[in-house]
Amino acid sequence: MDTLSHALWSGGLFGYRGHKWLAVFFGVMPDLVSFGALFVIKFFNGTLSYSGPPTLESLSQLAPYPDWLFFMDNLSHSFFTAFICIAIVYYLNKNFVWPMLAWPFHILLDFSFHTKDFFPVKLFWPITDYSVNGIPWSSPEVWFPNLAGIILLFWYRKKGCLLYTSPSPRDATLSRMPSSA
């Protein structure tokens, strides 16, 4: 999945209980510590030559890949790593656990939408290298439903906020408080 979609899904699903930006951060963090870091390093080295739409396949323009990139991608895209970190945070401060769940959600999305040819997601790395040959997220049969899902999520969140912010005339009739009239 593209990083912008991860940010939107994370904010919509895990950012509504507060800590919105923390949810967005954990939703994009697996990509930032791997390809984001490589992108920044190549930019400052003057070796970045990247053009075209942001697709998984277009990331091949960043080749040759350093060895650390594979390690960081496997580390940040592993349920094993994510849930160990979440368990540690749970014991330190439970308030941050909900937005951190955007991290395993990122992994779950990428597991289905990365091919084995290009950075497959190994769910339980380093215990196992198991991965599936997913459908590339840049293909129309994934991209359009993804966009529709994000739109529906934010519509639902907006609708839900409106439902709970406007008082209903019925609220006054259900109140057990004596009226002041």
Side-chain angles (χ1 to χ4, degrees):
M1 198 66 50
D2 64 293
T3 307
L4 177 60
S5 291
H6 283 302
L8 293 171
W9 279 112
S10 299
L13 289 174
F14 301 101
Y16 70 94
R17 289 186 181 178
H19 306 294
K20 178 180 182 179
W21 294 112
L22 192 60
V24 170
F25 169 76
F26 278 103
V28 299
M29 184 269 306
D31 291 341
L32 294 181
V33 299
S34 54
F35 279 98
L38 179 64
F39 195 87
V40 169
I41 290 168
K42 287 192 175 252
F43 177 79
F44 284 110
N45 285 346
T47 59
L48 180 65
S49 60
Y50 187 88
S51 62
T55 64
L56 189 60
E57 294 78 20
S58 68
L59 288 175
S60 62
Q61 297 175 47
L62 297 174
Y65 305 115
D67 290 336
W68 63 264
L69 180 67
F70 296 98
F71 174 79
M72 292 305 293
D73 190 68
N74 288 334
L75 182 70
S76 64
H77 285 81
S78 169
F79 276 160
F80 185 74
T81 307
F83 284 116
I84 285 176
C85 292
I86 290 170
I88 292 169
V89 169
Y90 177 81
Y91 287 106
L92 298 175
N93 188 342
K94 294 176 184 167
N95 293 327
F96 297 130
V97 170
W98 181 254
M100 284 185 75
L101 291 176
W103 182 3
F105 185 72
H106 174 121
I107 296 167
L108 190 63
L109 284 176
D110 277 359
F111 183 69
S112 304
F113 303 119
H114 278 227
T115 65
K116 283 195 174 201
D117 298 331
F118 193 76
F119 289 89
V121 174
K122 301 169 184 169
L123 278 182
F124 298 103
W125 184 88
I127 297 169
T128 179
D129 285 343
Y130 175 75
S131 63
V132 297
N133 194 21
I135 304 167
W137 57 260
S138 56
S139 62
E141 59 268 17
V142 174
W143 195 86
F144 286 112
N146 175 50
L147 181 61
I150 291 170
I151 290 169
L152 286 172
L153 173 63
F154 279 91
W155 174 79
Y156 174 78
R157 289 284 179 234
K158 182 73 173 168
K159 179 183 170 194
C161 289
L162 292 176
L163 289 175
Y164 295 111
T165 57
S166 59
S168 167
R170 185 185 65 167
D171 292 341
T173 61
L174 294 177
S175 175
R176 294 180 187 243
M177 297 295 290
S179 71
S180 58

